[in-house]
Amino acid sequence: MTLDINPAPPEVMHIDLNSAFAMTEQQANPLLRGKPVGITNRLNNFAICITASYEAKARGVSIGTRVGAARQLAPGFVILEADPAKYMYVHSKLRQIFTSYSPVSYMKSVDEGIIDFKGMAPILKGRPLEDVAAEIKQRVRDEVGDYMSVNIGIGQNRWLAKVGASLFKPDGLFTIDKDNLLLVYAMLGLTDLPYINYRYERRLHEAGIYTPLELYNTSERVLSKQVFKSINGHHWYLKLRGYETEVAFGMRTVGRSYVLEHRTDDPKEFATLLYKSCMKVARRLARFGLEARGLMLDLRFTHDPSQPHSRWFLRHMYKSGASRGDELYARALELYARCPRRVIKYLGITTYGLRPALQLTQPSLFNDEEAKRWRLEKAINEVNDQFGELALAPASVVSSRNPMKDKIPFGSIRYFD
Amino acid sequence: MLEKVNEPVEVLASFARHNQQVRITPHLLKWRGKHYQLEVFGLYHPERRGDKRIHIFSFSSGSTSFRTELDPETLVWTLVEVFYDA
């Protein structure tokens, strides 16, 4: 049985900021406007650009280009270190604007959001969504900054709205409906579709699918059994026809990842970084009132031709939950003890198996040591809340060569205020 | 070229009511004996440091742009960075 294109009107709007971080820097510093600008998490020649301005992109600089190479590609290239506070502020302003249009609106990441207008017809009173989109563009210029522009796509589901927003960058606006959907597919390549990367493309090629139209015409059975070999095939079949498949899940993991400024194979130095990361994760768990049973340690090593793998990870589900920094650290050390001794360049800690934290509500008769640790953790958190992150930290952490400053996360916004 | 400065400076600013909030706009900056008049306003954004909320203003004057901070407790303005157009 085949399913036709969703006949519903396009009522989902996807809005994303053009080259978000670079444009925010160009907004802040008027002298950077019209110039090739890149943003990096670390200011050195080996660092990579996490965003490039349109002027830099026009000269071949893209996400992932090394700063040294970007300087050669784009004369006059200006590289800046990411400024998370600035991007979070722009994010909060965008969120304010979006939520003023519909109760079903949310940010998908730092720089993109969704407004769902389903059921809003009595309020819109026949006003076309393209008119609303033009108003949003103007409000972004008025309320965030006169140099800021957004791409807006409108579609029957969130995925098609995202496709629409990607079509005419920068400052684009496009609506995809049941009448032009196949025309849109005809003018795109597979990797132009959101969530289809080169690896996915290869998988599609192996199944004889070379264009979005061919993907659209592939049966649900083939997509599920042969191409994606999972429920994803069913989801792709639906989303290509304009049916909603994206469901928001609650928080399932809390973690921290970090690329080391100073790579190390020194267990003492690494233990310091591990402790710092565990403290950060503990702060995040406390903020959401959670504890975690599971812990995963994920490490990446510098290239070594004699070794088959450059990544090592280990996870363990414990019987009891942990939420304090010292508890997480003890567990992380247990996992780290089984790691091969190599030069580490990346450290990731993820807690999972989350559940509401058990707080000690009354002093224990038998476990006074535990109560003391809770009081200490609480006191440290209070000092850090007042004076800033890691204002109070163990001496070993302070003396570390790796500062572990907060960096702007790719995509994720769950730890934002 | 970007220069990290971190020096207290004198700033002439206006405080105006705007949509039930107060909008602060710097107009004139005095730094190392020289006056710089705001020509293009860039961005205002706050930054939380502990329980303090620092107000940050970015703007340009001629071929120089500035990043200044206002500490709401001490009311001291600090020039954090200067960018010179090459």
Side-chain angles (χ1 to χ4, degrees):
Chain A
M1 198 183 93
T2 57
L3 186 66
D4 289 331
I5 295 170
N6 185 354
E11 291 176 318
V12 180
M13 194 180 278
H14 175 104
I15 304 136
D16 70 54
L17 207 55
N18 291 303
S19 292
F21 307 154
M23 185 172 279
T24 303
E25 294 297 344
Q26 288 175 314
Q27 173 63 49
N29 183 349
L31 301 180
L32 294 177
R33 297 177 190 176
K35 292 194 172 131
V37 175
I39 309 299
T40 182
N41 269 336
R42 313 253 179 276
L43 263 183
N44 62 44
N45 272 344
F46 305 105
I48 58 163
C49 293
I50 58 168
T51 317
S53 68
Y54 276 93
E55 296 83 0
K57 283 178 181 166
R59 291 170 175 83
V61 179
S62 59
I63 296 169
T65 305
R66 287 205 182 276
V67 171
R71 287 195 170 118
Q72 287 177 340
L73 285 167
F77 181 74
V78 178
I79 185 75
L80 299 167
E81 195 165 0
D83 185 349
K86 213 181 268 165
Y87 314 144
M88 285 181 209
Y89 174 71
V90 169
H91 168 90
S92 71
K93 296 296 283 184
L94 290 176
R95 193 169 54 189
Q96 270 174 27
I97 294 172
F98 299 168
T99 50
S100 69
Y101 285 94
S102 163
V104 188
S105 62
Y106 63 94
M107 297 301 288
K108 279 181 82 177
S109 66
V110 180
D111 59 345
E112 58 180 8
I114 293 283
I115 307 177
D116 193 335
F117 287 92
K118 286 192 194 94
M120 298 285 289
I123 290 167
L124 289 169
K125 291 178 184 151
R127 188 182 180 199
L129 285 186
E130 289 78 4
D131 187 39
V132 177
E135 183 182 279
I136 289 172
K137 280 171 176 279
Q138 189 55 48
R139 282 188 64 187
V140 169
R141 279 190 282 270
D142 294 342
E143 295 172 33
V144 186
D146 55 355
Y147 196 72
M148 308 299 277
S149 63
V150 288
N151 301 303
I152 300 184
I154 302 166
Q156 294 128 306
N157 65 12
R158 294 167 208 184
W159 183 77
L160 281 177
K162 189 173 169 74
V163 174
S166 69
L167 290 179
F168 299 103
K169 288 183 172 185
D171 207 14
L173 168 59
F174 193 80
T175 302
I176 298 178
D177 57 24
K178 62 181 174 36
D179 299 322
N180 67 8
L181 177 61
L182 297 184
L183 277 173
V184 169
Y185 287 157
M187 63 186 233
L188 297 176
L190 282 173
T191 52
D192 294 326
L193 301 179
Y195 316 131
I196 301 247
N197 57 22
Y198 291 106
R199 219 172 48 201
Y200 256 140
E201 184 186 42
R202 222 172 30 236
R203 193 188 286 190
L204 293 170
H205 285 176
E206 282 163 10
I209 299 166
Y210 292 89
T211 66
L213 266 183
E214 287 173 350
L215 181 61
Y216 171 81
N217 285 318
T218 306
S219 72
E220 182 186 3
R221 188 180 164 75
V222 171
L223 288 178
S224 297
K225 302 284 180 195
Q226 290 176 28
V227 182
F228 295 98
K229 293 174 185 163
S230 69
I231 189 76
N232 284 342
H234 173 67
H235 289 161
W236 271 102
Y237 186 80
L238 293 177
K239 78 171 80 170
L240 283 158
R241 284 158 178 76
Y243 294 95
E244 194 55 79
T245 58
E246 294 182 19
V247 181
F249 291 103
M251 185 168 283
R252 292 189 293 186
T253 61
V254 170
R256 167 87 159 108
S257 63
Y258 174 63
V259 180
L260 280 63
E261 273 101 338
H262 299 282
R263 297 162 179 190
T264 183
D265 62 349
D266 175 8
K268 213 172 148 189
E269 165 73 6
F270 183 74
T272 302
L273 302 179
L274 207 54
Y275 189 76
K276 223 167 168 177
S277 300
C278 289
M279 284 170 68
K280 184 79 186 180
V281 174
R283 295 266 290 159
R284 287 177 172 166
L285 285 169
R287 201 173 124 201
F288 298 109
L290 295 170
E291 64 176 22
R293 284 182 56 215
L295 184 76
M296 181 170 99
L297 183 61
D298 181 6
L299 305 178
R300 294 185 201 161
F301 310 115
T302 51
H303 180 65
D304 180 350
S306 68
Q307 298 289 337
H309 303 293
S310 58
R311 183 183 177 197
W312 175 91
F313 68 90
L314 191 62
R315 58 179 165 219
H316 188 74
M317 183 68 100
Y318 294 84
K319 281 184 182 162
S320 60
S323 57
R324 286 198 321 261
D326 63 304
E327 292 174 315
L328 295 172
Y329 177 60
R331 290 181 176 186
L333 274 184
E334 267 176 40
L335 301 181
Y336 175 57
R338 293 160 66 183
C339 169
R341 178 88 182 262
R342 288 180 59 185
V343 179
I344 297 165
K345 64 173 185 180
Y346 167 93
L347 151 68
I349 289 182
T350 306
T351 57
Y352 57 99
L354 304 179
R355 61 188 189 188
L358 293 169
Q359 296 290 337
L360 287 180
T361 50
Q362 61 181 45
S364 162
L365 284 174
F366 310 107
N367 200 356
D368 195 38
E369 196 57 37
E370 189 72 356
K372 269 187 197 166
R373 287 197 179 141
W374 273 110
R375 285 202 297 274
L376 180 64
E377 179 94 351
K378 188 168 172 275
I380 291 173
N381 280 343
E382 279 172 10
V383 171
N384 286 336
D385 282 343
Q386 189 172 349
F387 296 100
E389 212 58 47
L390 288 178
L392 193 62
S396 62
V397 168
V398 176
S399 63
S400 167
R401 290 191 306 152
N402 285 282
M404 282 183 108
K405 282 195 286 185
D406 270 351
K407 297 295 176 188
I408 192 74
F410 276 105
S412 176
I413 49 167
R414 54 203 177 137
Y415 306 129
F416 279 19
D417 283 329
Chain B
M1 192 192 73
L2 191 71
E3 184 188 341
K4 301 269 181 195
V5 179
N6 280 321
E7 288 174 21
V9 284
E10 288 176 35
V11 172
L12 185 68
S14 61
F15 293 67
R17 195 179 288 274
H18 179 79
N19 289 344
Q20 297 171 330
Q21 289 185 321
V22 174
R23 176 178 277 179
I24 308 169
T25 311
H27 297 285
L28 197 69
L29 168 81
K30 187 181 172 190
W31 177 49
R32 293 180 185 168
K34 212 172 154 190
H35 290 86
Y36 298 88
Q37 189 156 8
L38 179 147
E39 285 171 15
V40 183
F41 186 78
L43 187 76
Y44 156 78
H45 73 279
E47 188 174 326
R48 191 166 285 285
R49 291 184 199 149
D51 63 354
K52 250 190 198 182
R53 189 178 157 98
I54 304 287
H55 303 286
I56 302 171
F57 302 85
S58 305
F59 55 92
S60 70
S61 174
S63 58
T64 312
S65 65
F66 304 92
R67 178 187 166 115
T68 56
E69 291 182 0
L70 173 63
D71 184 324
E73 281 180 14
T74 60
L75 296 180
V76 168
W77 287 82
T78 304
L79 177 59
V80 182
E81 282 174 6
V82 178
F83 180 88
Y84 304 99
D85 198 8

